[in-house]
Amino acid sequence: MAKIDLTGRDFLKLLDFSAEEIRYLVDLAADFKAKKAAFTPVDKLRGRNVALIFEKTSTRTRCSFEVAAHDLGMGTTYLDPSGSQIGKKESIADTACVLSQMFDGIEYRGFGQEIVEELAKYASVPVWNGLTNEYHPTQMLADLLTIREHFGRVEGIRLSYYGDARYNTGNSLMVLGAKMGMHITLCSNRKYFPNEALVETCRALAQESDGSITLTEDVQEAARGADVFYTDVWVSMGEPEEVWQERIRDLTPYRVTMDLLNQGSEDAIFMHCLPAFHDLHTGTGKLIHDKYGLTEMEVTDEAFESGKSVVFQEAGNRMHTIKAVMAATLGYRE
Ligand code: CP
Ligand code: NVA
């Protein structure tokens, strides 16, 4: 097998990467994780700098980029959702050209996928997608690492996703599974199935990888024998307040419960990209409770807090996998 070299590449969506390249990034992340545990320094990218553009808020992704960059020896500049000229007084193309003069790489979290694609088109340094409406590729690498840590493999794993399956997380899990030979079931009210063109693309990829893509409205069917249960918020960042009522009505039947988890395989796990609404300890959770009477949303507190839940290990893996993406595309060498 030819040695994999991702130097200079953008990381915009998993569709742009082969299974071998994705495996390489996860292997590199596992190596970084072991080095971190052993206090082995990896600061070979000293003197480099990265720009972190966030047009939506973040805890995990921002912290992961910052800690990972610092571990690699790099400096970081954070541009918050309101603190830059991007899109308001300066075009994406001009921003890309300006930042490329100062930085060695650019992370972008924002709205349409076309924005990060345009940023990458005009930037002369690697651009990394930190979440768009359509895709969340760095989350997928962390999920893959977590699944591999738990099951020792990813091929043949049966992952059932419940909830809003037509947004960044649902779309990305479908692409991930199709590339890596997993059996992905997206379980939702059909209004929330991913767009048909993407489903077709993924089904074709799944045929080559011995994986499969199933869309169903049947909650029990999706649960039987599943190895991984996965869900995400019902209303994503950037969506209007007004959609809550309809989402609650449409997606409450697709809440992940302990009863569902118990129908999975013996060592089934629960995953969530986070943040999650599983109790009333959040501002939004309280507002929704006051307005609609719900005490938990996409996952019950019992399932979230259960021994099957690996959500915090998954969150920690964001940092190691994001480190791998920056290192690989910036030409890190041992
Ligand atoms: N999962 C995830 O992307 O979390 P943040 O929104 O906190 O970055
Ligand atoms: N679908 C969620 C993912 C958060 C990590 C959102 O876009 O808000």
Side-chain angles (χ1 to χ4, degrees):
M1 192 178 69
K3 193 165 170 1
I4 289 173
D5 184 356
L6 301 179
T7 309
R9 289 273 295 274
D10 300 312
F11 189 75
L12 306 179
K13 57 186 182 303
L14 287 189
L15 284 170
D16 302 336
F17 288 79
S18 68
E20 289 69 30
E21 289 169 338
I22 294 169
R23 220 170 280 126
Y24 167 79
L25 286 169
V26 174
D27 286 346
L28 185 59
D31 186 50
F32 278 136
K33 186 170 180 174
K35 287 197 165 77
K36 181 95 178 168
F39 299 102
T40 305
V42 295
D43 53 344
K44 300 276 171 60
L45 297 179
R46 271 188 303 274
R48 313 265 193 115
N49 287 284
V50 296
L52 309 177
I53 305 171
F54 282 82
E55 299 212 87
K56 290 176 177 170
T57 52
S58 168
T59 296
R60 277 147 292 272
T61 310
R62 176 189 174 178
C63 294
S64 295
F65 270 99
E66 291 207 12
V67 172
H70 298 158
D71 282 355
L72 290 166
M74 300 194 287
T76 55
T77 298
Y78 172 68
L79 296 159
D80 75 20
S82 58
S84 76
Q85 316 284 23
I86 300 164
K88 298 175 279 284
K89 288 173 70 180
E90 193 154 34
S91 69
I92 295 296
D94 289 358
T95 302
C97 296
V98 170
L99 295 181
S100 297
Q101 298 289 319
M102 303 178 194
F103 294 97
D104 300 282
I106 305 167
E107 179 276 354
Y108 177 85
R109 164 173 287 199
F111 295 88
Q113 178 72 15
E114 70 282 358
I115 302 173
V116 76
E117 301 271 352
E118 185 166 351
L119 193 66
K121 180 175 163 195
Y122 290 99
S124 57
V125 298
V127 171
W128 310 299
N129 179 358
L131 176 146
T132 58
N133 295 345
E134 291 83 0
Y135 294 114
H136 197 1
T138 61
Q139 178 71 50
M140 295 304 111
L141 296 182
D143 295 346
L144 207 57
L145 176 59
T146 310
I147 291 168
R148 209 176 71 174
E149 286 173 342
H150 191 78
F151 295 101
R153 67 187 166 99
V154 295
E155 295 78 12
I157 291 293
R158 307 175 71 84
L159 183 151
S160 290
Y161 175 90
Y162 288 84
D164 182 3
R166 39 108 250 170
Y167 224 70
N168 39 32
T169 306
N171 286 344
S172 301
L173 283 168
M174 185 168 67
V175 176
L176 176 75
K179 290 260 175 187
M180 306 312 291
M182 297 163 71
H183 301 291
I184 304 293
T185 298
L186 300 171
C187 182
S188 190
N189 177 313
R190 60 180 55 248
K191 267 161 74 177
Y192 303 90
F193 283 172
N195 88 54
E196 278 175 30
L198 185 61
V199 174
E200 284 319 305
T201 301
C202 289
R203 286 209 161 119
L205 289 168
Q207 238 176 5
E208 286 169 32
S209 71
D210 287 332
S212 63
I213 307 295
T214 306
L215 307 184
T216 180
E217 292 189 295
D218 186 332
V219 172
Q220 307 297 327
E221 179 197 323
R224 270 191 293 279
D227 299 307
V228 180
F229 290 79
Y230 200 123
T231 188
D232 184 12
V233 291
W234 291 340
V235 177
S236 286
M237 288 182 279
E239 293 197 284
E241 288 278 307
E242 300 81 70
V243 300
W244 270 111
Q245 187 168 13
E246 187 184 7
R247 290 291 160 79
I248 290 170
R249 191 190 62 223
D250 292 342
L251 296 177
T252 296
Y254 300 94
R255 171 182 292 145
V256 175
T257 62
M258 212 55 223
D259 178 51
L260 282 187
L261 295 188
N262 286 333
Q263 294 179 53
S265 65
E266 204 179 329
D267 51 356
I269 55 176
F270 170 70
M271 298 179 73
H272 191 309
C273 53
L274 304 182
F277 294 120
H278 59 96
D279 59 24
L280 296 181
H281 300 150
T282 65
T284 306
K286 282 197 193 95
L287 281 177
I288 297 300
H289 173 256
D290 294 348
K291 212 162 169 190
Y292 304 104
L294 266 63
T295 55
E296 43 203 9
M297 287 191 253
E298 70 274 9
V299 56
T300 63
D301 195 46
E302 187 188 17
F304 186 90
E305 298 292 356
S306 75
K308 291 186 182 292
S309 177
V310 297
V311 295
F312 298 123
Q313 176 187 346
E314 179 186 6
N317 282 338
R318 298 294 310 284
M319 198 282 283
H320 307 295
T321 42
I322 281 173
K323 190 183 285 177
V325 169
M326 287 195 289
T329 55
L330 293 178
Y332 173 96
R333 297 283 176 271
E334 280 286 321

